[in-house]
Structures are given as C-alpha cells and as structure tokens.
Amino acid sequence: MRENLDKQLSFTSLKWFNFFVYGTVVLFTSFFPLYLQDVGMNKLEIGSLMSVGALVSIIANPFWGIWSDRYQNIRRIVLVMLTGTLILSQLVFQANTYEMIYIAILLFYFFQGPLFAQSNTMILSYIDGTRRRFSSFRLWGSLGWAFTAILAGPVIEWAGISVLSYLFAALLCAAMIALITLPKLDHSIGIAPLPFKGMRQIFYNPFFLCFVLFGILVSIPNTMNNTFVSLYITELGGSKTMIGLAVFLSSILEMGVLLLCNLILKRRIPVLLASLTLVSALFFLRWWLMAGATTPLQVAFIQVLHSITFGGFFYVGTQLTMLLVPRPYRSSGQALYTLAWSGISGILGGVLGGWLYQTLGAQTMYQSGAILTLFGAIGFGLMWLFVIRGSYRPPADPENEPEEDSE
C-alpha cells in the first residue's frame, strides 16, 4: 500500500515537473526576443543570438548524455542542468553589454538546450516497467507550454518586460521542487542522445539524405517563425496578451494531433511520404497567410495551424526515419534527423530570418519561408512518386549486426 502511494506521488511530481519545464521554455522562446528588442538589439542580432542555442546543443547533448550514462543518476544530472539554467538565465537578464549577453547565453544554452532530451529520458526511466505511457506526461508538458503562455502575456503587459526574469526563475524553482520530491532511481534506461555508430552507412543512403535535405527546407521557416512571431505581432500593433493567445492556440491541440496520427496513419513508407507532402503543403499555406496578415488577431488564428503542421511533421518524420534506415543504425538516423531539424535548421533559420526581417521586412521573410517550404513539399512529393512507382528498394539490414534498437 505504501509503495503504491509513493509511486502515485512520484508520477504526480513527474507531471508537474514537465508542466513547469515546458512553461519555462515557452517563456524564453516566445517573450525573450521582446526583451532583446527592448534592450536595443535589431532583428539580425536577435536571430543570431537565438540561433546560438542550436549550435551549442550539438556539443551539449552528447556531453550531458555521457555524464548521465556514467553516473546512472539522471535525476541529479537534470537538477544540475536546472540549477545552471536558473543561475545563467539571471546573468543573461542582468548583463549590461551585448558581449556579456552573448557569453551568458552561450553558457545558458549549454545547460538549457539538452533539458528536454534528458528530462524525457528521466521520465522514461521512472515509468519503465509500469503501465504508464509517456504520452500522458508529455500532455502535461503541452499544457504547461500553452497555459504559461496565455497567463504570462497579461502579466508582462501589466508589469513590463523586465518581469520576465522573475517569471522564469519562479517556474524553474517550481520544476526543481517537483524534481526534488521524486524518489531516487535505482536504474536508468540510458538513452544516448546522439549515437553516431551508423553515420557512415547512413551517408550511403541517398534516399534518406534527400528526406533530411527536404526536411531542412521545411523546418528553416518554422525556426524563423518561432523566433520572430512575437516581434511580428507587436509590429502589427498587438499586445503581450495577444502573443500569449497566439502561442496558446498554436500548442493546445498539438497532443491531439499526435494521438490522431498514431491512430489513423499506417506505418508504411508511401502513406507517410504522402502525409509529409500534405503537411509541408499546409506549412506553405501557413507562411503565405502569415505574409498577408494585417492584424495581430489574424496572426494568432493562423498559428492554430502550428498544431497540425509541426505536430504532423514531427510524428511522420520520426516514423519515416525508422523505416528508411536499417535497424542497426536507426538511433544514428534519429540523431541525424534531430540534428537537421533542430540544429542546422535552427542556425540557418535564426540568421537568415533575422537578415530578411531586418533588411526586407516580415512579409518578405514569410514569403521566402513559403518558397523554401514549397521546394520541400515538391521534393517529398517526388519521393512519394518514386516509391509508388516501385523504383525504391528499402536498404536491407546488414547481416550479423546486433539489433541495438530491437529492445
């Protein structure tokens, strides 16, 4: 009886932990560009600064993964990451020169960037061997993202952008309290975030490389939007409350889309490629509508498409990676897919989006994003035609290779 009660309490703490962690990240991604603009940075400087996180994560992800595997105490590792994120976030907000902001943000991203990956590994470790599903804990993350955004908007509107540092610290402290209440783990599933074992074999797979390339074209405009949509809303006359509403509408249906994809989409390459083409076409429509928006309310409602486009692209892309890469190299394939989606696209999207916004304006930035997405959608469509005409042969699993992903 006591053991069941302890387990129930730990699961409740995990849900609240996810709620607060996602809440802190949405504060940073949605409102921090406004803070940077308030201290005098232009669009190119903001885009460059925000893109640094993608660059740092390439180093930070394997670093924290190695330490987690070595110490087999992922709860303590996550606590160290949260503590570093808290301290460095306050240094970022207190920095009084651009040089200090850049130095502080580099260190900040080193702790904050891999937080999702390590938190997911920790949750999977706690529920390992139970009937609990990861999706129920991920749902609490989506709720934290959505409700923090819509509640923070009016607070920032009333108190000013400087209150952002206090909100960020409060949510981080709440996440740390939820983490401390968790019982110590006696094991860890030890998922390495960036295994590179099969990279050479993957680079001999031109069909998968085309899939990654077209994915980069589609995801660059998504990074542009994530970085600059809050500035776009204020430029159109919108308030901080409107920014919170836009983020809320963009994320509240995301888990529903993921669950629906899981129920209705067959895990077959032709079906998934057709779905990816359709999702990319919706991305194109989304950016074209954003380019033509004239009021902040229009932007907020267009953001509803985020749940379908991002949720669908993330789900289908992950499933396709599993089918396009031989079994022994799937974890390397997922690493390359993640690196392309969040790393390469994050760097290019921040810098390119900042330059386009600064020199040609937001409408041109979104129109350029629509054109990039259109090329990506056409590419996925051609891949789909290639498959349904029988010209594609999946790569065979190498003989005598350990099936590292079969467990």
Side-chain angles (χ1 to χ4, degrees):
M1 181 70 178
R2 176 64 184 174
E3 183 180 349
N4 291 335
L5 180 61
D6 289 342
K7 280 188 176 181
Q8 186 61 42
L9 288 173
S10 68
F11 292 142
T12 302
S13 295
L14 276 176
K15 290 175 180 177
W16 281 112
F17 167 80
N18 235 23
F19 184 95
F20 292 125
V21 165
Y22 275 77
T24 60
V25 175
V26 75
L27 281 180
F28 196 79
T29 57
S30 300
F31 295 102
F32 187 60
L34 296 175
Y35 173 83
L36 295 176
Q37 182 175 254
D38 190 64
V39 299
M41 284 191 171
N42 61 38
K43 308 297 191 303
L44 179 56
E45 289 170 336
I46 293 171
S48 301
L49 188 70
M50 298 297 285
S51 69
V52 164
L55 184 63
V56 173
S57 67
I58 297 173
I59 302 170
N61 269 299
F63 174 86
W64 291 109
I66 290 168
W67 281 101
S68 296
D69 291 342
R70 177 172 296 183
Y71 280 98
Q72 288 295 302
N73 191 341
I74 194 166
R75 186 180 67 129
R76 182 175 294 176
I77 294 294
V78 173
L79 185 59
V80 170
M81 295 172 71
L82 286 173
T83 304
T85 301
L86 174 60
I87 294 171
L88 289 161
S89 66
Q90 299 311 301
L91 289 178
V92 170
F93 286 114
Q94 298 302 320
N96 51 19
T97 65
Y98 288 171
E99 291 78 10
M100 286 302 298
I101 290 178
Y102 272 97
I103 293 171
I105 206 74
L106 278 169
L107 296 172
F108 167 83
Y109 277 127
F110 186 79
F111 286 89
Q112 186 272 333
L115 195 54
F116 278 162
Q118 294 300 316
S119 296
N120 290 343
T121 302
M122 183 184 71
I123 292 170
L124 289 168
S125 297
Y126 271 101
I127 66 176
D128 186 39
T130 72
R131 295 183 179 180
R132 299 281 176 161
R133 292 183 178 272
F134 178 78
S135 58
S136 64
F137 298 92
R138 177 64 176 81
L139 174 62
W140 276 75
S142 295
L143 292 175
W145 184 282
F147 283 102
T148 299
I150 201 168
L151 293 174
V155 174
I156 296 172
E157 186 74 35
W158 169 72
I161 195 67
S162 59
V163 78
L164 186 60
S165 63
Y166 300 105
L167 294 176
F168 198 78
L171 287 177
L172 274 174
C173 289
M176 292 168 72
I177 291 171
L179 185 65
I180 292 170
T181 60
L182 290 170
K184 184 178 179 181
L185 270 174
D186 56 2
H187 72 289
S188 173
I189 59 173
I191 297 177
L194 285 176
F196 289 103
K197 179 187 172 185
M199 279 302 175
R200 189 179 59 162
Q201 287 80 1
I202 288 173
F203 279 106
Y204 290 137
N205 185 344
F207 195 80
F208 179 70
L209 292 181
C210 287
F211 160 72
V212 171
L213 174 63
F214 297 137
I216 290 174
L217 293 179
V218 174
S219 57
I220 285 174
N222 188 64
T223 301
M224 293 180 185
N225 179 72
N226 290 342
T227 305
F228 296 108
V229 67
S230 58
L231 301 181
Y232 188 40
I233 289 173
T234 56
E235 193 173 276
L236 292 174
S239 63
K240 311 297 188 301
T241 302
M242 186 62 68
I243 293 171
L245 175 64
V247 177
F248 176 84
L249 292 175
S250 72
S251 56
I252 193 63
L253 300 176
E254 185 180 312
M255 275 305 297
V257 171
L258 292 175
L259 292 173
L260 191 61
C261 287
N262 192 50
L263 286 173
I264 66 174
L265 287 183
K266 295 180 180 179
R267 290 173 176 80
R268 295 174 55 239
I269 292 177
V271 173
L272 293 175
L273 275 175
S275 302
L276 203 58
T277 305
L278 177 60
V279 168
S280 299
L282 288 175
F283 260 126
F284 167 79
L285 174 64
R286 181 181 169 192
W287 306 139
W288 200 257
L289 290 173
M290 288 288 278
T294 56
T295 68
L297 190 59
Q298 288 176 349
V299 173
F301 281 114
I302 293 169
Q303 282 289 94
V304 174
L305 284 171
H306 175 85
S307 298
I308 303 170
T309 51
F310 178 78
F313 195 92
F314 177 82
Y315 176 86
V316 175
T318 303
Q319 296 298 321
L320 264 174
T321 300
M322 298 292 286
L323 297 177
L324 297 178
V325 176
R327 186 182 299 272
Y329 311 125
R330 283 178 179 172
S331 38
S332 294
Q334 292 290 356
L336 183 59
Y337 174 69
T338 302
L339 178 63
W341 169 265
S342 60
I344 298 172
S345 302
I347 297 168
L348 294 176
V351 176
L352 178 61
W355 180 81
L356 287 169
Y357 201 157
Q358 180 67 28
T359 57
L360 302 173
Q363 289 188 338
T364 302
M365 181 188 74
Y366 279 113
Q367 288 170 352
S368 302
I371 293 170
L372 282 176
T373 304
L374 182 61
F375 283 129
I378 292 171
F380 287 132
L382 292 174
M383 291 179 70
W384 173 72
L385 286 174
F386 191 75
V387 170
I388 63 172
R389 289 178 177 177
S391 302
Y392 172 73
R393 293 289 181 271
D397 288 348
E399 294 182 359
N400 302 320
E401 288 278 1
E403 296 190 356
E404 62 181 34
D405 296 309
S406 62
E407 294 182 3

